[in-house]
Amino acid sequence: MARVPLQHLTGRAAFRHLELSVGPGVFVPRPETEQIAGWVLSRLGPDPVVVDLGTGSGAIALAVVQEHPGARVTAVEKDADAIAWTRLNADARAAAGDTPVTVLAGDMTDPQLLTELDGTVDVVVSNPPYVPDDARLPREVADHDPPLALWGGPDGLDVVRGLLRTAHRLLRPGGWLAVEHADVQGTSLPALVRAHGGFTDVADHPDLAGRPRYTTAQSQKRDT
Ligand SMILES: C[S@@+](CC[C@H](N)C(=O)[O-])C[C@H]1O[C@@H](n2cnc3c(N)ncnc32)[C@H](O)[C@@H]1O
């Protein structure tokens, strides 16, 4: 009745085959994000290097190592409150026997972020903040998901612009990018990726409700 999200009342959120700890300070993972995690898993060969930008509870990063134990995954988070939940979940999954994930405090738009991985990453995935500033959100979201997890500037794509530069720098030629977006960004986000340059095979994908939900692209191979 108070419109507190159920996951905050129980302290648990289901995500693919995981049950994660959540609460005040961290974004509650959503069912639509399970699909982008599945798409990432479908791109992985043996011993892949994966980076999850804006990891929150760790949902995508931890699902990848649970379902692809050979993956070496780095999970990046800027929000000090949220990263405490990332670490709690990452420690719990490692204690349960999953491949450990590297959790890094950092800004996905920082040109110095993870420079040691430049040109080596197989998949960069992100569910970034993408809500346009003038959007109206239900109270369960507006009052309980952290502002840094939600708001993305006038068109919702402010953080995405920086994330594209980081992703392009990190990806190996032929590596893949996957970015979740709002249902109103099914044209604008692919256009932004094309305008950035350096990516081919830009495609957009619907969620289970048929709404545009995530964009994927391949980092240009050297011989193309
Ligand atoms: C929509 S939430 C997604 C969380 C998680 N990946 C998921 O799918 O449930 C976006 C996350 O990105 C983080 N974030 C926002 N801006 C960031 C930035 N510049 N660098 C790193 N993380 C950022 C937020 O704190 C939040 O945890």
Side-chain angles (χ1 to χ4, degrees):
M1 287 175 67
R3 302 192 61 177
V4 177
L6 177 65
Q7 295 88 342
H8 281 213
L9 298 177
T10 63
R12 314 295 290 164
F15 188 83
R16 293 181 67 90
H17 304 286
L18 293 168
E19 196 177 85
L20 298 163
S21 295
V22 294
V26 73
F27 183 84
V28 173
R30 305 297 206 270
E32 47 268 43
T33 306
E34 293 179 328
Q35 267 179 278
I36 193 171
W39 187 91
V40 169
L41 284 155
S42 77
R43 309 311 315 173
L44 302 182
D47 305 321
V49 178
V50 178
V51 175
D52 175 17
L53 296 173
T55 196
S57 64
I60 300 172
L62 295 171
V64 167
V65 289
Q66 185 185 44
E67 297 179 50
H68 195 110
R72 281 176 290 148
V73 180
T74 301
V76 178
E77 175 56 53
K78 180 179 177 183
D79 187 327
D81 292 332
I83 205 169
W85 292 98
T86 320
R87 293 209 160 98
L88 183 70
N89 285 313
D91 289 350
R93 291 311 313 165
D98 285 358
T99 307
V101 161
T102 302
V103 178
L104 180 68
D107 184 332
M108 68 172 97
T109 67
D110 179 357
Q112 298 307 315
L113 181 79
L114 286 171
T115 46
E116 67 277 17
L117 293 183
D118 278 359
T120 67
V121 176
D122 296 290
V123 180
V124 171
V125 58
S126 183
N127 175 16
Y130 55 63
V131 181
D133 286 348
D134 62 358
R136 296 199 54 187
L137 296 173
R139 275 178 50 202
E140 288 84 348
V141 180
D143 295 352
H144 296 282
D145 281 314
L148 197 67
L150 300 174
W151 303 109
D155 64 355
L157 297 172
D158 278 3
V159 179
V160 175
R161 291 184 177 87
L163 128 66
L164 290 182
R165 287 191 287 275
T166 302
H168 190 256
R169 171 171 62 74
L170 292 175
L171 286 168
R172 66 167 171 79
W176 288 94
L177 168 70
V179 185
E180 188 172 314
H181 60 68
D183 53 7
V184 294
Q185 295 160 346
T187 303
S188 55
L189 204 146
L192 202 61
V193 176
R194 288 190 188 96
H196 180 279
F199 290 102
T200 59
D201 295 297
V202 181
D204 204 68
H205 307 259
D207 61 21
L208 291 175
R211 298 191 193 100
R213 187 56 62 196
Y214 64 99
T215 300
T216 58
Q218 190 170 31
S219 188
Q220 205 150 25
K221 295 176 182 146
R222 286 194 215 287
D223 58 351
T224 58

